[in-house]
Every structure is written in C-alpha cells, then in structure tokens.
Amino acid sequence: MEIRLDDPAASHVSELLAHHLRELRSVMGEHAFALDASGLSSPGVTFWTAWREGELAGFGALKQLGARRGEVKSMRAAPSARGTGVGHALLGHIVAEARARGYEALYLETGTADLHAPAIALYRRSGFISCGPFADYEASEHNQFMVLTL
C-alpha cells in the first residue's frame, strides 16, 4: 500500500469523497461533521490518499488544532478496500505524522451508528479512548469523541 500526500479536490478523489459525505449525512443528518473538498483543503489540514495496485483504496486527513494537538479527519476506506487494512495503514500514517509534529494529543469525532463500528474498533485497538467534546463540537446521540495521548 502506498500513502500519498494529495489534493482532496482532485478528480480521482471526488467519487469516494461524495460517497463518504452522502453515507454519513444519510445516517447522521446535521450531526455529520465530515469535511468536503474545500474543508479538507483548508490551511491547517493535511490530506492523504492510500493506493493499492494503482487503485484508490482510501483517504484520511490530519487537522491542526493548536501547537500541540491534532484531529483525525475524514478517514474512509473505499467500499472495495474495506477489511483490507487500509484504515489501519492510514491511521498509522496520521499518528506518525502527529508525533513527528510534536503533538501531545490526537483527537477524533466519529458517529455512533452501526456503520461506524469497524472504525471505532480500529481506533480502540490503536489506543484511542473516549473523551468529551473538543474544539467546537457539541455532544449528541449521533457522535462520540476519542483521544490518543502521544
């Protein structure tokens, strides 16, 4: 698997990103905080794609929350790549980058619906624990918050 720094507005990302946003919004409604291409292109957000045998396998991003904190954003495996380790590879890459930047903590917000269960299991296996809302988030029955101390 190859992980590349990429442009979230690139044409090769658009279909998977649109699928990601549609799926989350269909389950979470107004509580879906996933970023679109413009949000993922914002200053302070770094975006990567994962490739397997020349095919887009997924994407993920790291948002800077301050000098010592970051947030995992928009982790997504392509439907054809689910269960193949792409999420694990992307999360490992993001955690390594956060450590290299000197972050002390890495946060994330995710959903509570059944479709989030594999991601939640991945985050827990990677050492993330539950925490309260951070940044500008507000708690609801549709989301949950996690942190990894680095």
Side-chain angles (χ1 to χ4, degrees):
M1 181 159 338
E2 178 187 0
I3 297 177
R4 304 177 190 162
L5 187 62
D6 214 331
D7 176 1
S11 61
H12 58 267
V13 175
S14 62
E15 185 177 328
L16 182 56
L17 181 55
H19 168 76
H20 176 64
L21 295 171
R22 268 192 320 273
E23 185 175 65
L24 291 179
R25 289 175 181 154
S26 73
V27 174
M28 299 175 69
E30 66 186 34
H31 299 285
F33 298 111
L35 298 175
D36 61 12
S38 65
L40 290 167
S41 299
S42 298
V45 178
T46 307
F47 180 82
W48 294 276
T49 51
W51 297 82
R52 176 174 277 153
E53 298 176 11
E55 302 257 340
L56 179 62
F59 57 73
L62 175 59
K63 179 179 180 180
Q64 185 172 352
L65 296 179
R68 299 284 182 204
R69 298 182 319 145
E71 178 185 0
V72 176
K73 291 299 294 182
S74 298
M75 287 270 301
R76 171 58 71 154
S80 62
R82 288 187 180 152
T84 65
V86 67
H88 178 74
L90 279 164
L91 185 60
H93 186 84
I94 291 168
V95 169
E97 178 65 22
R99 285 189 171 119
R101 292 180 184 185
Y103 291 173
E104 295 172 352
L106 188 57
Y107 293 84
L108 64 84
E109 177 273 338
T110 192
T112 57
D114 289 344
L115 74 94
H116 294 99
I120 293 164
L122 170 64
Y123 300 141
R124 294 222 183 271
R125 281 192 314 271
S126 299
F128 283 82
I129 60 171
S130 296
C131 67
F134 61 93
D136 295 331
Y137 292 109
E138 293 184 20
S140 80
E141 71 261 15
H142 300 286
N143 59 9
Q144 60 184 302
F145 308 94
M146 304 176 92
V147 63
L148 175 67
T149 302
L150 300 173

